[in-house]
PDB file of all heavy atoms in Angstrom:
ATOM      1  N   PHE Z   1       3.758   2.379  -5.582  1.00 98.00           N
ATOM      2  CA  PHE Z   1       3.210   1.257  -4.936  1.00 98.00           C
ATOM      3  C   PHE Z   1       1.721   1.098  -4.939  1.00 98.00           C
ATOM      4  O   PHE Z   1       1.084   0.110  -4.708  1.00 98.00           O
ATOM      5  CB  PHE Z   1       3.573   1.109  -3.469  1.00 98.00           C
ATOM      6  CG  PHE Z   1       5.080   1.019  -3.291  1.00 98.00           C
ATOM      7  CD1 PHE Z   1       5.861   1.836  -2.594  1.00 98.00           C
ATOM      8  CD2 PHE Z   1       5.798  -0.092  -3.980  1.00 98.00           C
ATOM      9  CE1 PHE Z   1       7.245   1.814  -2.452  1.00 98.00           C
ATOM     10  CE2 PHE Z   1       7.122  -0.170  -3.838  1.00 98.00           C
ATOM     11  CZ  PHE Z   1       7.858   0.805  -3.003  1.00 98.00           C
ATOM     12  N   TRP Z   2       0.940   2.269  -5.183  1.00 98.00           N
ATOM     13  CA  TRP Z   2      -0.477   2.187  -5.126  1.00 98.00           C
ATOM     14  C   TRP Z   2      -0.992   1.426  -6.329  1.00 98.00           C
ATOM     15  O   TRP Z   2      -0.678   1.615  -7.464  1.00 98.00           O
ATOM     16  CB  TRP Z   2      -1.156   3.613  -5.240  1.00 98.00           C
ATOM     17  CG  TRP Z   2      -2.636   3.648  -5.143  1.00 98.00           C
ATOM     18  CD1 TRP Z   2      -3.479   3.858  -6.181  1.00 98.00           C
ATOM     19  CD2 TRP Z   2      -3.444   3.329  -4.038  1.00 98.00           C
ATOM     20  NE1 TRP Z   2      -4.768   3.760  -5.721  1.00 98.00           N
ATOM     21  CE2 TRP Z   2      -4.788   3.382  -4.411  1.00 98.00           C
ATOM     22  CE3 TRP Z   2      -3.126   2.875  -2.784  1.00 98.00           C
ATOM     23  CZ2 TRP Z   2      -5.794   3.066  -3.582  1.00 98.00           C
ATOM     24  CZ3 TRP Z   2      -4.152   2.514  -1.868  1.00 98.00           C
ATOM     25  CH2 TRP Z   2      -5.551   2.700  -2.269  1.00 98.00           C
ATOM     26  N   LEU Z   3      -1.947   0.482  -5.959  1.00 98.00           N
ATOM     27  CA  LEU Z   3      -2.573  -0.418  -6.985  1.00 98.00           C
ATOM     28  C   LEU Z   3      -3.958  -0.107  -7.021  1.00 98.00           C
ATOM     29  O   LEU Z   3      -4.781  -0.675  -6.156  1.00 98.00           O
ATOM     30  CB  LEU Z   3      -2.269  -1.944  -6.550  1.00 98.00           C
ATOM     31  CG  LEU Z   3      -2.522  -3.023  -7.609  1.00 98.00           C
ATOM     32  CD1 LEU Z   3      -1.749  -2.773  -8.880  1.00 98.00           C
ATOM     33  CD2 LEU Z   3      -2.270  -4.396  -7.059  1.00 98.00           C
ATOM     34  N   GLU Z   4      -4.452   0.626  -7.923  1.00 98.00           N
ATOM     35  CA  GLU Z   4      -5.826   1.127  -7.957  1.00 98.00           C
ATOM     36  C   GLU Z   4      -6.691   0.068  -8.006  1.00 98.00           C
ATOM     37  O   GLU Z   4      -7.868   0.017  -7.352  1.00 98.00           O
ATOM     38  CB  GLU Z   4      -5.985   2.079  -9.216  1.00 98.00           C
ATOM     39  CG  GLU Z   4      -7.325   2.695  -9.365  1.00 98.00           C
ATOM     40  CD  GLU Z   4      -7.854   3.450  -8.134  1.00 98.00           C
ATOM     41  OE1 GLU Z   4      -7.001   4.118  -7.463  1.00 98.00           O
ATOM     42  OE2 GLU Z   4      -9.049   3.641  -7.984  1.00 98.00           O
ATOM     43  N   SER Z   5      -6.464  -1.061  -8.795  1.00 97.00           N
ATOM     44  CA  SER Z   5      -7.462  -2.168  -8.930  1.00 97.00           C
ATOM     45  C   SER Z   5      -7.712  -2.890  -7.711  1.00 97.00           C
ATOM     46  O   SER Z   5      -8.790  -3.375  -7.522  1.00 97.00           O
ATOM     47  CB  SER Z   5      -6.873  -3.164 -10.021  1.00 97.00           C
ATOM     48  OG  SER Z   5      -5.650  -3.672  -9.551  1.00 97.00           O
ATOM     49  N   ALA Z   6      -6.754  -2.824  -6.668  1.00 98.00           N
ATOM     50  CA  ALA Z   6      -6.909  -3.548  -5.367  1.00 98.00           C
ATOM     51  C   ALA Z   6      -7.272  -2.512  -4.357  1.00 98.00           C
ATOM     52  O   ALA Z   6      -7.783  -2.963  -3.313  1.00 98.00           O
ATOM     53  CB  ALA Z   6      -5.598  -4.240  -5.078  1.00 98.00           C
ATOM     54  N   GLY Z   7      -7.173  -1.295  -4.513  1.00 98.00           N
ATOM     55  CA  GLY Z   7      -7.375  -0.291  -3.523  1.00 98.00           C
ATOM     56  C   GLY Z   7      -6.423  -0.391  -2.390  1.00 98.00           C
ATOM     57  O   GLY Z   7      -6.766  -0.138  -1.165  1.00 98.00           O
ATOM     58  N   MET Z   8      -5.213  -0.887  -2.697  1.00 98.00           N
ATOM     59  CA  MET Z   8      -4.162  -1.149  -1.581  1.00 98.00           C
ATOM     60  C   MET Z   8      -2.799  -0.773  -2.213  1.00 98.00           C
ATOM     61  O   MET Z   8      -2.684  -0.562  -3.434  1.00 98.00           O
ATOM     62  CB  MET Z   8      -4.129  -2.592  -1.132  1.00 98.00           C
ATOM     63  CG  MET Z   8      -5.560  -2.961  -0.395  1.00 98.00           C
ATOM     64  SD  MET Z   8      -5.460  -4.620   0.155  1.00 98.00           S
ATOM     65  CE  MET Z   8      -4.462  -4.378   1.637  1.00 98.00           C
ATOM     66  N   TYR Z   9      -1.765  -0.974  -1.309  1.00 98.00           N
ATOM     67  CA  TYR Z   9      -0.388  -0.751  -1.773  1.00 98.00           C
ATOM     68  C   TYR Z   9       0.134  -2.182  -1.951  1.00 98.00           C
ATOM     69  O   TYR Z   9      -0.023  -3.015  -1.267  1.00 98.00           O
ATOM     70  CB  TYR Z   9       0.401   0.020  -0.750  1.00 98.00           C
ATOM     71  CG  TYR Z   9       0.046   1.339  -0.597  1.00 98.00           C
ATOM     72  CD1 TYR Z   9      -0.923   1.756   0.486  1.00 98.00           C
ATOM     73  CD2 TYR Z   9       0.448   2.345  -1.473  1.00 98.00           C
ATOM     74  CE1 TYR Z   9      -1.290   3.029   0.654  1.00 98.00           C
ATOM     75  CE2 TYR Z   9       0.087   3.732  -1.178  1.00 98.00           C
ATOM     76  CZ  TYR Z   9      -0.775   4.071  -0.232  1.00 98.00           C
ATOM     77  OH  TYR Z   9      -1.102   5.348   0.021  1.00 98.00           O
ATOM     78  N   ARG Z  10       0.905  -2.347  -3.136  1.00 98.00           N
ATOM     79  CA  ARG Z  10       1.522  -3.505  -3.451  1.00 98.00           C
ATOM     80  C   ARG Z  10       2.994  -3.652  -2.854  1.00 98.00           C
ATOM     81  O   ARG Z  10       3.538  -2.604  -2.498  1.00 98.00           O
ATOM     82  CB  ARG Z  10       1.778  -3.653  -5.065  1.00 98.00           C
ATOM     83  CG  ARG Z  10       2.341  -2.633  -5.725  1.00 98.00           C
ATOM     84  CD  ARG Z  10       2.363  -2.804  -7.257  1.00 98.00           C
ATOM     85  NE  ARG Z  10       2.909  -1.701  -7.892  1.00 98.00           N
ATOM     86  CZ  ARG Z  10       3.193  -1.671  -9.239  1.00 98.00           C
ATOM     87  NH1 ARG Z  10       2.857  -2.786  -9.979  1.00 98.00           N
ATOM     88  NH2 ARG Z  10       3.670  -0.697  -9.807  1.00 98.00           N
ATOM     89  N   ASP Z  11       3.408  -4.851  -2.733  1.00 98.00           N
ATOM     90  CA  ASP Z  11       4.754  -5.050  -2.081  1.00 98.00           C
ATOM     91  C   ASP Z  11       5.929  -4.366  -2.745  1.00 98.00           C
ATOM     92  O   ASP Z  11       6.838  -3.983  -2.074  1.00 98.00           O
ATOM     93  CB  ASP Z  11       4.971  -6.644  -1.907  1.00 98.00           C
ATOM     94  CG  ASP Z  11       5.950  -6.940  -0.766  1.00 98.00           C
ATOM     95  OD1 ASP Z  11       5.878  -6.230   0.299  1.00 98.00           O
ATOM     96  OD2 ASP Z  11       6.705  -7.749  -0.850  1.00 98.00           O
ATOM     97  N   ASN Z  12       5.896  -4.534  -4.078  1.00 97.00           N
ATOM     98  CA  ASN Z  12       6.942  -3.857  -4.904  1.00 97.00           C
ATOM     99  C   ASN Z  12       6.380  -3.725  -6.224  1.00 97.00           C
ATOM    100  O   ASN Z  12       5.222  -4.020  -6.452  1.00 97.00           O
ATOM    101  CB  ASN Z  12       8.226  -4.794  -4.896  1.00 97.00           C
ATOM    102  CG  ASN Z  12       7.977  -6.084  -5.480  1.00 97.00           C
ATOM    103  OD1 ASN Z  12       7.620  -6.365  -6.529  1.00 97.00           O
ATOM    104  ND2 ASN Z  12       8.100  -7.193  -4.538  1.00 97.00           N
ATOM    105  N   GLN Z  13       7.100  -3.216  -7.183  1.00 96.00           N
ATOM    106  CA  GLN Z  13       6.665  -2.759  -8.426  1.00 96.00           C
ATOM    107  C   GLN Z  13       6.536  -3.923  -9.509  1.00 96.00           C
ATOM    108  O   GLN Z  13       6.126  -3.663 -10.685  1.00 96.00           O
ATOM    109  CB  GLN Z  13       7.559  -1.691  -9.029  1.00 96.00           C
ATOM    110  CG  GLN Z  13       7.393  -0.407  -8.210  1.00 96.00           C
ATOM    111  CD  GLN Z  13       8.490   0.621  -8.599  1.00 96.00           C
ATOM    112  OE1 GLN Z  13       9.666   0.539  -8.340  1.00 96.00           O
ATOM    113  NE2 GLN Z  13       7.959   1.697  -9.341  1.00 96.00           N
ATOM    114  N   THR Z  14       6.776  -5.150  -8.973  1.00 96.00           N
ATOM    115  CA  THR Z  14       6.782  -6.225  -9.938  1.00 96.00           C
ATOM    116  C   THR Z  14       5.763  -7.354  -9.455  1.00 96.00           C
ATOM    117  O   THR Z  14       5.775  -8.499  -9.846  1.00 96.00           O
ATOM    118  CB  THR Z  14       8.091  -6.994 -10.027  1.00 96.00           C
ATOM    119  OG1 THR Z  14       8.546  -7.458  -8.792  1.00 96.00           O
ATOM    120  CG2 THR Z  14       9.214  -5.998 -10.571  1.00 96.00           C
ATOM    121  N   THR Z  15       4.897  -6.947  -8.497  1.00 97.00           N
ATOM    122  CA  THR Z  15       3.991  -7.874  -7.951  1.00 97.00           C
ATOM    123  C   THR Z  15       2.682  -7.231  -7.725  1.00 97.00           C
ATOM    124  O   THR Z  15       2.525  -6.003  -7.667  1.00 97.00           O
ATOM    125  CB  THR Z  15       4.476  -8.427  -6.606  1.00 97.00           C
ATOM    126  OG1 THR Z  15       3.596  -9.486  -6.122  1.00 97.00           O
ATOM    127  CG2 THR Z  15       4.500  -7.327  -5.592  1.00 97.00           C
ATOM    128  N   THR Z  16       1.605  -8.041  -7.586  1.00 97.00           N
ATOM    129  CA  THR Z  16       0.239  -7.526  -7.130  1.00 97.00           C
ATOM    130  C   THR Z  16      -0.057  -8.005  -5.799  1.00 97.00           C
ATOM    131  O   THR Z  16      -1.155  -7.748  -5.141  1.00 97.00           O
ATOM    132  CB  THR Z  16      -0.847  -8.147  -8.056  1.00 97.00           C
ATOM    133  OG1 THR Z  16      -0.769  -9.696  -8.097  1.00 97.00           O
ATOM    134  CG2 THR Z  16      -0.616  -7.629  -9.526  1.00 97.00           C
ATOM    135  N   LEU Z  17       0.893  -8.613  -4.982  1.00 98.00           N
ATOM    136  CA  LEU Z  17       0.688  -8.977  -3.645  1.00 98.00           C
ATOM    137  C   LEU Z  17       0.595  -7.738  -2.786  1.00 98.00           C
ATOM    138  O   LEU Z  17       1.492  -6.826  -2.880  1.00 98.00           O
ATOM    139  CB  LEU Z  17       1.766  -9.853  -3.095  1.00 98.00           C
ATOM    140  CG  LEU Z  17       1.671 -10.403  -1.788  1.00 98.00           C
ATOM    141  CD1 LEU Z  17       2.266 -11.868  -1.680  1.00 98.00           C
ATOM    142  CD2 LEU Z  17       2.492  -9.505  -0.752  1.00 98.00           C
ATOM    143  N   CYS Z  18      -0.352  -7.522  -2.016  1.00 98.00           N
ATOM    144  CA  CYS Z  18      -0.591  -6.404  -1.195  1.00 98.00           C
ATOM    145  C   CYS Z  18      -0.404  -6.861   0.245  1.00 98.00           C
ATOM    146  O   CYS Z  18      -1.333  -7.355   0.931  1.00 98.00           O
ATOM    147  CB  CYS Z  18      -2.073  -5.818  -1.380  1.00 98.00           C
ATOM    148  SG  CYS Z  18      -2.228  -5.236  -3.034  1.00 98.00           S
ATOM    149  N   PRO Z  19       0.757  -6.472   0.863  1.00 98.00           N
ATOM    150  CA  PRO Z  19       1.064  -6.996   2.236  1.00 98.00           C
ATOM    151  C   PRO Z  19       0.329  -6.244   3.365  1.00 98.00           C
ATOM    152  O   PRO Z  19      -0.050  -5.177   3.258  1.00 98.00           O
ATOM    153  CB  PRO Z  19       2.582  -6.857   2.321  1.00 98.00           C
ATOM    154  CG  PRO Z  19       2.828  -5.541   1.501  1.00 98.00           C
ATOM    155  CD  PRO Z  19       1.772  -5.597   0.413  1.00 98.00           C
ATOM    156  N   GLN Z  20       0.087  -7.089   4.509  1.00 98.00           N
ATOM    157  CA  GLN Z  20      -0.487  -6.584   5.682  1.00 98.00           C
ATOM    158  C   GLN Z  20       0.439  -5.452   6.253  1.00 98.00           C
ATOM    159  O   GLN Z  20      -0.118  -4.371   6.615  1.00 98.00           O
ATOM    160  CB  GLN Z  20      -0.663  -7.727   6.685  1.00 98.00           C
ATOM    161  CG  GLN Z  20      -1.385  -7.176   7.948  1.00 98.00           C
ATOM    162  CD  GLN Z  20      -1.407  -8.252   8.979  1.00 98.00           C
ATOM    163  OE1 GLN Z  20      -0.692  -9.217   8.883  1.00 98.00           O
ATOM    164  NE2 GLN Z  20      -2.167  -8.019  10.105  1.00 98.00           N
ATOM    165  N   ASP Z  21       1.735  -5.588   6.327  1.00 98.00           N
ATOM    166  CA  ASP Z  21       2.693  -4.673   7.029  1.00 98.00           C
ATOM    167  C   ASP Z  21       2.601  -3.343   6.329  1.00 98.00           C
ATOM    168  O   ASP Z  21       2.255  -2.193   6.941  1.00 98.00           O
ATOM    169  CB  ASP Z  21       3.983  -5.213   7.279  1.00 98.00           C
ATOM    170  CG  ASP Z  21       4.661  -5.878   6.090  1.00 98.00           C
ATOM    171  OD1 ASP Z  21       4.210  -5.531   4.915  1.00 98.00           O
ATOM    172  OD2 ASP Z  21       5.688  -6.509   6.247  1.00 98.00           O
ATOM    173  N   ALA Z  22       2.943  -3.280   5.045  1.00 98.00           N
ATOM    174  CA  ALA Z  22       3.196  -1.933   4.389  1.00 98.00           C
ATOM    175  C   ALA Z  22       1.784  -1.212   4.354  1.00 98.00           C
ATOM    176  O   ALA Z  22       1.642   0.021   4.424  1.00 98.00           O
ATOM    177  CB  ALA Z  22       3.619  -2.216   2.929  1.00 98.00           C
ATOM    178  N   ASN Z  23       0.629  -1.974   4.139  1.00 98.00           N
ATOM    179  CA  ASN Z  23      -0.686  -1.249   3.948  1.00 98.00           C
ATOM    180  C   ASN Z  23      -1.090  -0.746   5.501  1.00 98.00           C
ATOM    181  O   ASN Z  23      -1.667   0.393   5.582  1.00 98.00           O
ATOM    182  CB  ASN Z  23      -1.743  -2.263   3.506  1.00 98.00           C
ATOM    183  CG  ASN Z  23      -1.681  -2.285   1.986  1.00 98.00           C
ATOM    184  OD1 ASN Z  23      -2.115  -1.302   1.324  1.00 98.00           O
ATOM    185  ND2 ASN Z  23      -0.929  -3.269   1.501  1.00 98.00           N
ATOM    186  N   SER Z  24      -0.702  -1.537   6.475  1.00 99.00           N
ATOM    187  CA  SER Z  24      -1.046  -0.980   7.767  1.00 99.00           C
ATOM    188  C   SER Z  24      -0.228   0.300   8.125  1.00 99.00           C
ATOM    189  O   SER Z  24      -0.743   1.253   8.617  1.00 99.00           O
ATOM    190  CB  SER Z  24      -0.766  -2.010   8.891  1.00 99.00           C
ATOM    191  OG  SER Z  24      -1.632  -3.188   8.706  1.00 99.00           O
ATOM    192  N   PHE Z  25       1.073   0.201   7.793  1.00 98.00           N
ATOM    193  CA  PHE Z  25       1.861   1.360   8.048  1.00 98.00           C
ATOM    194  C   PHE Z  25       1.462   2.596   7.168  1.00 98.00           C
ATOM    195  O   PHE Z  25       1.585   3.768   7.748  1.00 98.00           O
ATOM    196  CB  PHE Z  25       3.327   0.995   7.561  1.00 98.00           C
ATOM    197  CG  PHE Z  25       4.020  -0.122   8.612  1.00 98.00           C
ATOM    198  CD1 PHE Z  25       5.010  -0.933   7.986  1.00 98.00           C
ATOM    199  CD2 PHE Z  25       3.498  -0.211   9.860  1.00 98.00           C
ATOM    200  CE1 PHE Z  25       5.578  -1.945   8.735  1.00 98.00           C
ATOM    201  CE2 PHE Z  25       4.030  -1.319  10.670  1.00 98.00           C
ATOM    202  CZ  PHE Z  25       5.138  -2.074  10.069  1.00 98.00           C
ATOM    203  N   ALA Z  26       1.013   2.388   5.962  1.00 98.00           N
ATOM    204  CA  ALA Z  26       0.627   3.464   5.104  1.00 98.00           C
ATOM    205  C   ALA Z  26      -0.434   4.248   5.680  1.00 98.00           C
ATOM    206  O   ALA Z  26      -0.428   5.540   5.696  1.00 98.00           O
ATOM    207  CB  ALA Z  26       0.341   2.916   3.761  1.00 98.00           C
ATOM    208  N   VAL Z  27      -1.452   3.635   6.269  1.00 98.00           N
ATOM    209  CA  VAL Z  27      -2.564   4.253   6.929  1.00 98.00           C
ATOM    210  C   VAL Z  27      -2.087   4.932   8.203  1.00 98.00           C
ATOM    211  O   VAL Z  27      -2.281   6.144   8.560  1.00 98.00           O
ATOM    212  CB  VAL Z  27      -3.726   3.447   7.211  1.00 98.00           C
ATOM    213  CG1 VAL Z  27      -4.841   4.223   7.852  1.00 98.00           C
ATOM    214  CG2 VAL Z  27      -4.308   2.838   5.800  1.00 98.00           C
ATOM    215  N   LEU Z  28      -1.475   4.159   9.013  1.00 98.00           N
ATOM    216  CA  LEU Z  28      -1.063   4.612  10.286  1.00 98.00           C
ATOM    217  C   LEU Z  28      -0.072   5.823  10.346  1.00 98.00           C
ATOM    218  O   LEU Z  28      -0.223   6.747  11.101  1.00 98.00           O
ATOM    219  CB  LEU Z  28      -0.426   3.517  11.141  1.00 98.00           C
ATOM    220  CG  LEU Z  28       0.054   3.703  12.501  1.00 98.00           C
ATOM    221  CD1 LEU Z  28      -0.988   4.163  13.440  1.00 98.00           C
ATOM    222  CD2 LEU Z  28       0.762   2.545  13.051  1.00 98.00           C
ATOM    223  N   TYR Z  29       0.850   5.809   9.426  1.00 98.00           N
ATOM    224  CA  TYR Z  29       1.820   6.871   9.268  1.00 98.00           C
ATOM    225  C   TYR Z  29       1.469   7.955   8.331  1.00 98.00           C
ATOM    226  O   TYR Z  29       2.290   8.855   8.026  1.00 98.00           O
ATOM    227  CB  TYR Z  29       3.162   6.259   8.758  1.00 98.00           C
ATOM    228  CG  TYR Z  29       3.683   5.196   9.815  1.00 98.00           C
ATOM    229  CD1 TYR Z  29       4.572   4.153   9.369  1.00 98.00           C
ATOM    230  CD2 TYR Z  29       3.454   5.282  11.140  1.00 98.00           C
ATOM    231  CE1 TYR Z  29       5.094   3.244  10.242  1.00 98.00           C
ATOM    232  CE2 TYR Z  29       3.917   4.290  11.997  1.00 98.00           C
ATOM    233  CZ  TYR Z  29       4.714   3.285  11.520  1.00 98.00           C
ATOM    234  OH  TYR Z  29       5.199   2.279  12.392  1.00 98.00           O
ATOM    235  N   ASN Z  30       0.180   7.914   7.798  1.00 98.00           N
ATOM    236  CA  ASN Z  30      -0.351   9.015   6.995  1.00 98.00           C
ATOM    237  C   ASN Z  30       0.345   9.047   5.655  1.00 98.00           C
ATOM    238  O   ASN Z  30       0.572  10.135   5.079  1.00 98.00           O
ATOM    239  CB  ASN Z  30      -0.246  10.335   7.703  1.00 98.00           C
ATOM    240  CG  ASN Z  30      -1.199  11.406   6.936  1.00 98.00           C
ATOM    241  OD1 ASN Z  30      -2.203  11.004   6.330  1.00 98.00           O
ATOM    242  ND2 ASN Z  30      -0.765  12.673   7.023  1.00 98.00           N
ATOM    243  N   LEU Z  31       0.774   7.984   4.984  1.00 98.00           N
ATOM    244  CA  LEU Z  31       1.191   7.945   3.718  1.00 98.00           C
ATOM    245  C   LEU Z  31       0.029   7.916   2.697  1.00 98.00           C
ATOM    246  O   LEU Z  31       0.279   8.224   1.511  1.00 98.00           O
ATOM    247  CB  LEU Z  31       2.050   6.709   3.417  1.00 98.00           C
ATOM    248  CG  LEU Z  31       3.515   6.783   3.880  1.00 98.00           C
ATOM    249  CD1 LEU Z  31       4.122   5.356   4.136  1.00 98.00           C
ATOM    250  CD2 LEU Z  31       4.338   7.517   2.798  1.00 98.00           C
ATOM    251  N   THR Z  32      -1.166   7.664   3.108  1.00 98.00           N
ATOM    252  CA  THR Z  32      -2.333   7.751   2.229  1.00 98.00           C
ATOM    253  C   THR Z  32      -2.526   9.246   2.026  1.00 98.00           C
ATOM    254  O   THR Z  32      -2.127  10.105   2.829  1.00 98.00           O
ATOM    255  CB  THR Z  32      -3.522   7.165   2.899  1.00 98.00           C
ATOM    256  OG1 THR Z  32      -3.649   7.617   4.255  1.00 98.00           O
ATOM    257  CG2 THR Z  32      -3.369   5.677   2.889  1.00 98.00           C
ATOM    258  N   THR Z  33      -3.196   9.506   0.891  1.00 97.00           N
ATOM    259  CA  THR Z  33      -3.352  11.028   0.543  1.00 97.00           C
ATOM    260  C   THR Z  33      -4.742  11.565   0.694  1.00 97.00           C
ATOM    261  O   THR Z  33      -4.919  12.690   0.547  1.00 97.00           O
ATOM    262  CB  THR Z  33      -2.956  11.092  -0.982  1.00 97.00           C
ATOM    263  OG1 THR Z  33      -3.881  10.233  -1.800  1.00 97.00           O
ATOM    264  CG2 THR Z  33      -1.494  10.731  -1.269  1.00 97.00           C
ATOM    265  N   SER Z  34      -5.639  10.593   1.165  1.00 97.00           N
ATOM    266  CA  SER Z  34      -7.031  11.091   1.374  1.00 97.00           C
ATOM    267  C   SER Z  34      -7.641  10.206   2.401  1.00 97.00           C
ATOM    268  O   SER Z  34      -7.227   9.061   2.611  1.00 97.00           O
ATOM    269  CB  SER Z  34      -7.843  11.221   0.216  1.00 97.00           C
ATOM    270  OG  SER Z  34      -7.941   9.977  -0.394  1.00 97.00           O
ATOM    271  N   THR Z  35      -8.738  10.713   3.005  1.00 97.00           N
ATOM    272  CA  THR Z  35      -9.545   9.821   3.908  1.00 97.00           C
ATOM    273  C   THR Z  35     -10.143   8.613   3.099  1.00 97.00           C
ATOM    274  O   THR Z  35     -10.157   7.493   3.511  1.00 97.00           O
ATOM    275  CB  THR Z  35     -10.703  10.678   4.521  1.00 97.00           C
ATOM    276  OG1 THR Z  35     -10.103  11.712   5.278  1.00 97.00           O
ATOM    277  CG2 THR Z  35     -11.388   9.724   5.482  1.00 97.00           C
TER     278      THR Z  35
END
């Protein structure tokens, strides 16, 4: 899901839409790999 060009996670593997929910959860739940 990581979309380097956007610096965010995309909704699925067939889109460039980067949703508010998944990206908020990724940071909050420590799915990110670095500060």
Side-chain angles (χ1 to χ4, degrees):
F1 301 122
W2 181 250
L3 191 61
E4 177 63 26
S5 60
M8 299 182 77
Y9 294 95
R10 56 184 175 171
D11 200 38
N12 57 64
Q13 293 169 288
T14 63
T15 186
T16 57
L17 185 146
C18 297
Q20 181 188 14
D21 52 13
N23 281 278
S24 298
F25 296 151
V27 176
L28 180 58
Y29 300 151
N30 195 31
L31 276 159
T32 50
T33 59
S34 65
T35 300

